[in-house]
């Protein structure tokens, strides 16, 4: 993930802490990813529109499930 935080003030009013942001440059490697055949929790989301303003069906994948 590369980017920056939102601008925010802070530091009890000191000039050096006026509206500022922080860079984000994290190297992340995901080793625990979903693979075909995994059981996952799925929640349908209602009333979602895409960038063009059209209704579209979206789902929230909550994570991998374990059968006990």
């Amino acid at each position: 993930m590369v980017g920056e935080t939102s601008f925010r003030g802070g530091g009890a009013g000191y000039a050096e802490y006026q509206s500022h942001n922080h860079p984000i440059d994290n190297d992340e490697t995901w080793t625990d990813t979903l693979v075909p055949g995994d059981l996952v929790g799925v929640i349908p989301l209602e009333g979602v529109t895409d960038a063009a303003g059209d209704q579209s069906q979206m789902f929230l994948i909550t994570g991998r499930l374990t059968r006990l």
Side-chain angles (χ1 to χ4, degrees):
M1 178 175 5
V2 176
E4 58 188 31
T5 63
S6 298
F7 281 87
R8 292 197 148 192
Y14 294 109
E16 60 267 25
Y17 297 111
Q18 291 302 316
S19 185
H20 67 283
N21 68 340
H22 298 274
I24 300 171
D25 188 2
N26 298 327
D27 293 328
E28 296 180 12
T29 302
W30 292 44
T31 58
D32 189 24
T33 58
L34 298 173
V35 296
D38 281 348
L39 295 174
V40 295
V42 179
I43 300 172
L45 303 176
E46 295 183 24
V48 178
T49 57
D50 61 17
D54 298 323
Q55 289 283 345
S56 61
Q57 182 64 61
M58 293 186 74
F59 299 90
L60 174 64
I61 305 299
T62 60
R64 185 179 307 153
L65 303 177
T66 302
R67 184 175 296 163
L68 299 175

